[in-house]
Amino acid sequence: MLFSRFTRSIESILIVEDEPLVAFDNELRVVDAGYRVVATVDTEAEAIAVLHREPIHLVLADVNLSRGGSGVEVARVASERDIPVLFATGTCPGHARQYAIGCLIKPYSAAELVKAIHAVDLMIRGQTPKAMPKPLNLYSAA
C-alpha cells in the first residue's frame, strides 16, 4: 500500500505526575492523540501498584512525586517489567538513564508531548525518528 497508516506499538500509557494541572493537561493531550490512559497517579506507590496490575506500553513519569516519592524508582520497577519510561520533568536525572528511554524537559507544549511519544514509539520499533521536539532527549531503546 502506498500510503500506509502508522502502526503504533504504544497504545496504553501510565501518567505519573504530582502537579494536578500538568497531569490533567498530559492526560487530555494523550487521549486526544488516540492513546489510552491506563491511570494518572501522583505517588510512587500508586504508580508501582498500577504497573503490577495493568498492561502498559509506556510510562510518562515526573521525577519528583507527591509524598516524597520518586519517578526514578517507578522507572526502575517499570524497566524490570520491560516497560519503557519517558521522564517528563524539569531536570533530567542523569543517574537514571538506564531506566528510561529518554527525557522530555518541562515546559513542553501539547504538540511536543505527542511528538515525543511518537518518537519513542519509533525508537522502540528500531526506527530512527526523523523529527524530534526540542525538549526531548532520547537515551536508548529501553
Side-chain angles (χ1 to χ4, degrees):
M1 185 186 307
L2 183 59
F3 298 104
S4 62
R5 186 167 180 231
F6 174 71
T7 303
R8 294 179 173 169
S9 59
I10 296 173
E11 294 177 4
S12 59
I13 298 175
L14 169 61
I15 298 174
V16 186
E17 172 62 59
D18 67 334
E19 292 291 330
L21 293 176
V22 174
F24 176 78
D25 193 49
N26 284 350
E27 185 173 329
L28 180 67
R29 302 307 174 197
V30 165
V31 169
D32 282 350
Y35 299 97
R36 182 174 65 86
V37 175
V38 172
T40 301
V41 299
D42 66 348
T43 67
E44 177 184 316
E46 291 172 310
I48 291 171
V50 173
L51 283 171
H52 288 297
R53 73 172 185 257
E54 298 285 342
I56 298 167
H57 298 124
L58 178 70
V59 176
L60 182 66
D62 194 358
V63 172
N64 298 311
L65 303 175
S66 294
R67 299 184 201 137
S70 171
V72 173
E73 180 60 18
V74 173
R76 186 191 65 74
V77 172
S79 72
E80 289 174 354
R81 302 178 64 80
D82 295 322
I83 300 169
V85 174
L86 177 62
F87 288 121
T89 188
T91 304
C92 296
H95 67 283
R97 291 172 69 106
Q98 72 269 27
Y99 303 130
I101 197 161
C103 184
L104 183 62
I105 302 169
K106 291 178 180 175
Y108 50 82
S109 69
E112 289 169 330
L113 172 62
V114 173
K115 287 178 184 176
I117 294 170
H118 179 74
V120 167
D121 197 322
L122 288 170
M123 196 169 166
I124 289 169
R125 293 185 294 123
Q127 299 177 20
T128 303
K130 291 182 178 105
M132 299 242 298
K134 188 174 182 176
L136 176 64
N137 296 313
L138 289 177
Y139 301 147
S140 65

